[in-house]
Amino acid sequence: MSETFVLVTGACHGGWAWRPVANELRAAGHEVHTPTLAGLGEGDDPRDVTLTDCVNGLVEYVEHAGLTDVTLVGHSWGGYVLVGAAPRLASRLRRLVFWSAFVPNDGESLIDACPPHYGEMFRAVAAASGNNGVTFPFEVFQQAFMQDADDETQRIVHSLLVPQPLGTFTEKPDTSAFYALDIPTAYVLSEEDLSLPGEWHWAERFPQRLKNPLMIETPGSHEALFTRPAELADAFVRACAA
């Protein structure tokens, strides 16, 4: 059965990052959309961009394209965008899939949901950036986000990342409408994901916030969209089959 996927990236990524996964899904006969959200296009100014801007952009994209029966997938920070957009797109959605993604509590910003040293790093990097943008130091990206790739690949991908607007990390969402929804959900977890350590790990906190999610494990790191795209695409298809 052909599915319609809308894939939402994590922080610092544009829609381009989904290309390896999108190619796998399209080769299997599925329709795939990979929007780039506000502030995350090449050359965008992240200075005044908020989480609400990104949610609005996703809603407008789906509505303008006239998409229905959508499987909406969010990665990492993209979980915040899913939680904001889903109530407004509910009539168009078939399933929500969170891949190693945040599922925020009411009023919980991304910085609130991260280890304190991450929040300190984000604010310090944004303050020094001159444009209120957050970038991940290469060493952090290499060791905790994409440790399953060789050095050259890590450096190429890191060089393509764009500054994430700090406002998308600090805005505190109203999640009441999301938690009132009755849309099937799935949580896909990359087995070698080291981006959130210890008690902060994805599996320890976020799947439990969803209503009876289908749990799927898949190989790879936090950047498995580059390192294990075939397996990740398969996980998304399996999420639709339940």
Side-chain angles (χ1 to χ4, degrees):
M1 178 179 174
S2 177
E3 306 288 344
T4 299
F5 290 96
V6 176
L7 309 179
V8 179
T9 59
C12 302
H13 296 60
W16 58 268
W18 285 114
R19 184 173 297 175
V21 175
N23 286 344
E24 295 284 345
L25 291 170
R26 288 174 180 140
H30 304 293
E31 180 178 351
V32 186
H33 297 260
T34 61
T36 294
L37 300 179
L40 294 172
E42 185 176 357
D44 284 0
D45 186 346
R47 204 176 314 268
D48 298 316
V49 178
T50 66
L51 175 61
T52 296
D53 293 328
C54 295
V55 170
N56 289 342
L58 177 60
V59 171
E60 290 166 6
Y61 180 95
V62 172
E63 291 180 342
H64 181 74
L67 303 180
T68 57
D69 206 27
V70 170
T71 294
L72 190 59
V73 180
H75 177 219
S76 194
W77 162 79
Y80 272 82
V81 184
L82 260 63
V83 167
R88 296 166 57 186
L89 294 173
S91 64
R92 298 176 179 269
L93 300 180
R94 179 170 184 258
R95 183 178 294 274
L96 297 169
V97 179
F98 293 80
W99 165 43
S100 289
F102 292 93
V103 184
N105 284 323
D106 195 49
E108 180 183 52
S109 72
L110 182 134
I111 284 184
D112 295 333
C114 283
H117 69 279
Y118 270 26
E120 293 166 5
M121 176 183 70
F122 295 153
R123 292 186 187 278
V125 169
S129 70
N131 63 6
N132 209 35
V134 176
T135 53
F136 294 95
F138 175 70
E139 293 75 15
V140 173
F141 182 79
Q142 181 182 49
Q143 296 169 17
F145 286 73
M146 201 178 181
Q147 78 281 358
D148 57 343
D150 59 66
D151 182 81
E152 181 181 8
T153 302
Q154 292 168 338
R155 292 184 183 279
I156 289 172
V157 173
H158 186 263
S159 73
L160 295 172
L161 303 182
V162 299
Q164 179 77 15
L166 182 65
T168 67
F169 282 2
T170 57
E171 185 175 343
K172 296 179 180 293
D174 179 348
T175 64
S176 54
F178 171 77
Y179 284 110
L181 293 175
D182 191 23
I183 297 173
T185 62
Y187 200 96
V188 176
L189 183 67
S190 288
E191 295 170 329
E192 290 87 47
D193 193 330
L194 305 177
S195 58
L196 287 180
E199 64 182 316
W200 297 90
H201 192 261
W202 309 98
E204 298 299 319
R205 297 186 294 153
F206 300 118
Q208 299 87 337
R209 298 180 182 183
L210 301 172
K211 297 176 182 177
N212 301 313
L214 174 66
M215 291 296 301
I216 298 174
E217 293 190 349
T218 188
S221 66
H222 197 64
E223 296 290 321
L225 73 176
F226 299 111
T227 62
R228 306 296 287 266
E231 293 92 334
L232 190 57
D234 179 68
F236 295 163
V237 172
R238 282 188 283 143
C240 296

